[in-house]
Amino acid sequence: MASSFAPKKSLGQNFLHDAGIAKWIADEIKPDGAPLVVEIGPGQGAMTTHLVGRAAKTLLLEKDNTLAADLKVKFEGREDVEVWHGDATRFDLRPLFKFGGVKVIGNLPYSMGGEILRHVLTPPTPVTEAVFMLQKEVCQRLAADQEDDAYGGLSLVVQHDWEVEIRRIIPPEVFKPRPKVDSAIVRLTPRPPGDLPVHDRAVFDRLVRMGFSQRRKQLKNLLPECPGGWDSLMGSLSKPLTVRAEELTLWDWVALTRHYEGRHEEDRGQKASEIFDVVDENNVVIGQAPRGEVHAKGLKHRAVHIFVFNKHGELWLQKRSHLKDVHPLTWDSSAAGHLDSGEDYATSAARELQEEIGISAPTRCVATIPACEATGWEFVELHVAEHNGPMKYAPDEIATGLFFRVEEIQAWIETRPQDFATGFIECFARWRKL
Ligand code: SAM
């Protein structure tokens, strides 16, 4: 790399010049054999040297014109290295889902660290592990427990989805130019699905933001009036009425969120007692049976799938919740569900859109799919609708959701069919043929 290169403060360019530390950080992401490692801000390649060739593919995201051009020259002709020149906060992560595991590493520019973290770590994200170098103080906030001084809203919104561990403190001397403060390395691994009781993520974020807006103030003066009253909420959390935001753990905040949502029952998936119409091989109703029996005996029944497209022609996919009795944590149609006993397909489509993703939009039937193993012995009508979101989804049914380009979904199904509910794959293949 050209020695005349003048580091740009605006891009947070403090380059690592200690090869031992660079290798130590690269090893932290365990790149060997990984399907994809993404490095954010590779700069002059201090860590890149220790990453390239270890994962099946390495993707380098660099904003600086000169450095990106140098990296392109350096790795020209290598099929396992791709250099993307641009702002990492604008990089479209959606095409990365098809890799089935994405490790992200970066000695992040301090000025942009927060924005990069938010872009890469906020669900839904394809990222499955991350190692970042940031200012020590930021790392301490990310990793802080309720007893720590650094604990705050940032700790909670990140730890909601990630387990955070500070791995090492790095002194300023190993960078050129030297930053004014210590840095640290954090490793983030996803919190397992179902670790936290079900709750609405948007409500959690809103309450945390309000609660920490004035740290020293009592929480009851910062949060909206709560159903059933503050005293009973604090009683159920075994907290004093005067509690402050920083005195509640992540689990307390989730319990508080559930209380605001009026969610008092234990988490459960579908009711095995729901009654469906059972049909014969011609889709004619021959009786009724509860959900549990229909699935256990493989009885033929009816379901509707709805594909919701936005104005760009992208299709919104839902990721099924961990509580689903079939195909948990796989990607599925925008909304889908069984017809209630006596219900027709169009009525069911409108109901599912409302119940599952909180929208109302006209739907149109575009295909029918006969009952088969892939559909779970369901006679399916596929409906389409148009809506630009946002979706307000039921968290016990849907873990997350996102609009994807149709071509991307096709490529993803081809590489990782196991990521999808089989009924969706059937519907998507049928829709592609229209
Ligand atoms: N990884 C190198 C190292 O350890 O020596 C460089 C680290 S330096 C702290 C941050 C790097 O991120 C620089 O190369 C800078 O040009 C790049 N950068 C700054 N903002 C960026 C952004 N928004 N997207 C991608 N890269 C960015």
Side-chain angles (χ1 to χ4, degrees):
M1 214 58 69
S3 57
S4 57
F5 183 84
K8 297 182 189 70
K9 212 172 170 188
S10 61
L11 290 179
Q13 291 179 345
N14 302 95
F15 297 110
L16 251 180
H17 66 83
D18 182 316
I21 290 185
K23 172 156 189 334
W24 187 91
I25 303 170
D27 286 346
E28 277 292 290
I29 198 74
K30 300 186 222 86
D32 300 294
L36 177 65
V37 170
V38 178
E39 188 187 354
I40 298 179
Q44 297 179 318
M47 297 190 316
T48 321
T49 309
H50 305 285
L51 292 168
V52 162
R54 296 175 72 178
K57 182 161 184 153
T58 309
L59 173 59
L60 309 173
L61 312 182
E62 176 54 60
K63 189 171 177 186
D64 186 285
N65 302 346
T66 311
L67 296 176
D70 286 350
L71 289 161
K72 278 187 184 164
V73 170
K74 185 168 178 184
F75 295 112
E76 199 172 3
R78 280 198 74 140
E79 298 226 325
D80 64 336
V81 182
E82 196 179 318
V83 179
W84 185 82
H85 174 210
D87 183 339
T89 62
R90 290 173 183 269
F91 183 77
D92 185 359
L93 295 160
R94 295 174 298 176
L96 306 189
F97 278 95
K98 63 176 171 294
F99 285 88
V102 179
K103 297 187 173 210
V104 177
I105 186 165
N107 170 10
L108 297 186
Y110 286 174
S111 50
M112 292 291 285
E115 252 185 88
I116 292 176
L117 285 182
R118 206 169 310 120
H119 183 64
V120 169
L121 300 178
T122 306
T125 171
V127 175
T128 45
E129 191 172 348
V131 169
F132 291 128
M133 174 136 65
L134 290 149
Q135 295 105 305
K136 183 175 89 178
E137 185 239 319
V138 175
C139 293
Q140 285 169 334
R141 286 166 58 203
L142 292 173
D145 280 339
Q146 184 259 322
E147 301 86 42
D148 301 327
D149 291 343
Y151 183 68
L154 180 68
S155 327
L156 282 164
V157 293
V158 171
Q159 289 174 31
H160 182 278
D161 305 298
W162 301 90
E163 289 172 342
V164 187
E165 192 191 349
I166 295 187
R167 298 287 299 147
R168 187 168 171 177
I169 308 297
I170 307 285
E173 297 77 58
V174 301
F175 300 96
K176 261 188 198 152
R178 276 188 195 194
K180 292 201 176 69
V181 293
D182 278 344
S183 303
I185 311 290
V186 272
R187 178 169 20 208
L188 298 109
T189 44
R191 184 174 291 289
D195 201 28
L196 298 173
V198 165
H199 60 284
D200 186 325
R201 173 70 203 258
V203 178
F204 171 89
D205 283 350
R206 202 161 51 242
L207 292 172
V208 168
R209 205 168 38 248
M210 289 170 138
F212 280 92
S213 59
Q214 295 179 65
R215 252 188 120 83
R216 307 307 308 167
K217 238 178 162 174
Q218 292 180 16
L219 210 46
K220 70 165 182 280
N221 298 323
L222 295 169
L223 298 188
E225 202 164 311
C226 79
W230 187 253
D231 296 14
S232 107
L233 170 56
M234 287 302 112
S236 69
L237 293 178
S238 308
K239 298 287 170 195
L241 301 179
T242 55
V243 77
R244 291 185 174 81
E246 63 202 21
E247 292 170 77
L248 299 184
T249 65
L250 172 61
W251 272 264
D252 293 332
W253 275 103
V254 169
L256 183 135
T257 304
R258 285 169 59 90
H259 190 92
Y260 271 87
E261 288 180 81
R263 206 179 276 280
H264 299 298
E265 288 175 22
E266 256 185 54
D267 295 340
R268 60 185 156 76
Q270 286 102 349
K271 293 181 223 96
S273 57
E274 266 175 82
I275 301 292
F276 303 152
D277 286 339
V278 176
V279 297
D280 66 9
E281 61 280 4
N282 298 313
N283 199 9
V284 173
V285 178
I286 52 169
Q288 281 82 35
R291 166 194 281 272
E293 188 184 334
V294 166
H295 282 151
K297 294 187 178 163
L299 302 176
K300 293 190 179 66
H301 55 295
R302 292 170 167 173
V304 65
H305 280 240
I306 309 114
F307 283 5
V308 179
F309 294 92
N310 65 12
K311 59 180 181 228
H312 306 296
E314 295 171 332
L315 171 58
W316 197 84
L317 297 187
Q318 63 157 281
K319 188 174 186 187
R320 296 164 65 85
S321 118
H322 67 282
L323 295 168
K324 288 280 186 179
D325 53 358
V326 285
H327 305 301
L329 296 171
T330 57
W331 291 85
D332 203 347
S333 304
S334 316
H338 298 102
L339 274 60
D340 287 343
S341 179
E343 192 178 40
D344 62 58
Y345 281 98
T347 308
S348 173
R351 178 177 55 73
E352 291 293 347
L353 277 186
Q354 190 54 246
E355 283 178 8
E356 285 204 345
I357 56 178
I359 63 167
S360 53
T363 75
R364 170 168 70 84
C365 175
V366 291
T368 57
I369 299 162
C372 60
E373 197 170 354
T375 67
W377 304 109
E378 290 166 351
F379 280 92
V380 172
E381 260 193 21
L382 174 60
H383 285 229
V384 294
E386 269 181 43
H387 201 281
N388 294 313
M391 313 304 181
K392 187 176 172 358
Y393 46 82
D396 24 16
E397 302 237 353
I398 299 179
T400 188
L402 197 57
F403 279 107
F404 289 93
R405 283 180 47 235
V406 166
E407 298 310 323
E408 268 312 323
I409 297 172
Q410 181 64 45
W412 185 5
I413 291 176
E414 281 164 20
T415 47
R416 289 187 56 85
Q418 68 271 35
D419 289 351
F420 297 88
T422 52
F424 167 71
I425 295 180
E426 254 340 90
C427 290
F428 189 72
R430 184 72 187 77
W431 178 80
R432 295 277 285 175
K433 288 198 195 115
L434 291 175

